[in-house]
Every structure is written in C-alpha cells, then in structure tokens.
Amino acid sequence: MSPFTFLEILATISGILCVYLQTKEKILAWPFGILSVTISAYIFFHSKLYSDLGLHVIYIFLNIYGWYNWSRKEADLLPPPILSMGKRAFLFVGLIVIAMSSVLGFTMGSLTDADLYYYDAFTTSGSLVAQFLLAKKYI
C-alpha cells in the first residue's frame, strides 16, 4: 500500500466519522473534519490539484470556525440550538451561491483552462455556503 493510499483511506474514514458525529450533534465531529480536509489538502498539493487544494484550505478554516461555534456556551449553558431558515434567508443564501458561482465561474473561465467552469464554480460555491451553514447549525 502506498503512503498516499493510506492517507486517502484515513481522510475518508475521518470524513465519514465527521459527518456521522455531526448528525449526532457531537463536537468531536470537528476535529475529524479538520483531519480529513487537512489530509486531503496535502494529497491535492502533491497531486498538483490546486483548485481542490484551495477549497480544502477554506474547509480547514470553516471546520475550525464550526468547532469554535459549537463549543460556545450561551448564558444558560446550553449548546447553540439548531436553527432553521425562513423563506427570505433561504432566498438570500441562494442568491449568494449564484453570485459566488458567477464570479468564480467567470474567473476560472477567463484565467484558467478549466473545463465546465460554471458547473464547477456552482458546486464549489454551494459546498462552501453549506459548510458555513452547518457551522452555524442551520438546517
């Protein structure tokens, strides 16, 4: 087994644990998330997949923020509640994803030789916004 295969397996297992623990609202999810995306970033760097590297570096910071946010205690010493968005907030988030996708897609289409750059930008933007909402405990 190559060292990268071992790292890929470790990143996958820690990512699965992260998702599972997040569904159970366990703060231990965030260190597993940080481990998973950090290993992935290392692999992407050595594979010269720089867009994925950049995305995973952002994920590292979003996981740190999620860990911080979930560990904060309110005055009543309860963990932050799960929140839901109203129609206006949902529309606003959708517009943010569209705006981010447009800017990122245009940039990638203009400055790189990327394929399907608007589709890639859409999935990247949606992933980043979803990760932020998860850190804030929004459904």
Side-chain angles (χ1 to χ4, degrees):
M1 177 185 311
S2 77
F4 279 106
T5 301
F6 173 76
L7 289 174
E8 289 168 345
I9 291 169
L10 183 59
T12 300
I13 291 171
S14 60
I16 291 169
L17 283 170
C18 172
V19 172
Y20 173 76
L21 291 168
Q22 285 174 336
T23 64
K24 301 296 182 187
E25 291 189 80
K26 303 294 183 189
I27 198 163
L28 188 59
W30 297 105
F32 281 108
I34 293 168
L35 177 64
S36 177
V37 297
T38 300
I39 292 170
S40 297
Y42 176 79
I43 292 168
F44 292 140
F45 174 76
H46 282 283
S47 301
K48 298 183 180 180
L49 298 171
Y50 300 122
S51 293
D52 284 321
L53 167 65
L55 180 61
H56 280 69
V57 168
I58 293 169
Y59 280 157
I60 291 168
F61 289 104
L62 285 171
N63 274 276
I64 291 169
Y65 174 74
W67 192 356
Y68 164 77
N69 192 53
W70 281 29
S71 66
R72 286 185 313 126
K73 300 288 185 184
E74 301 296 328
D76 57 5
L77 300 179
L78 295 175
I82 295 175
L83 305 169
S84 58
M85 295 188 301
K87 291 178 183 176
R88 293 181 99 184
F90 188 77
L91 178 63
F92 181 70
V93 167
L95 292 173
I96 288 173
V97 171
I98 291 169
M100 286 175 62
S101 300
S102 299
V103 171
L104 183 58
F106 178 79
T107 303
M108 289 296 150
S110 301
L111 302 178
T112 72
D113 60 350
D115 290 329
L116 303 170
Y117 38 88
Y118 279 106
Y119 294 111
D120 189 30
F122 178 74
T123 58
T124 298
S125 300
S127 296
L128 290 171
V129 170
Q131 184 69 32
F132 176 77
L133 291 173
L134 178 63
K136 299 292 283 180
K137 293 185 89 173
Y138 275 97
I139 293 177

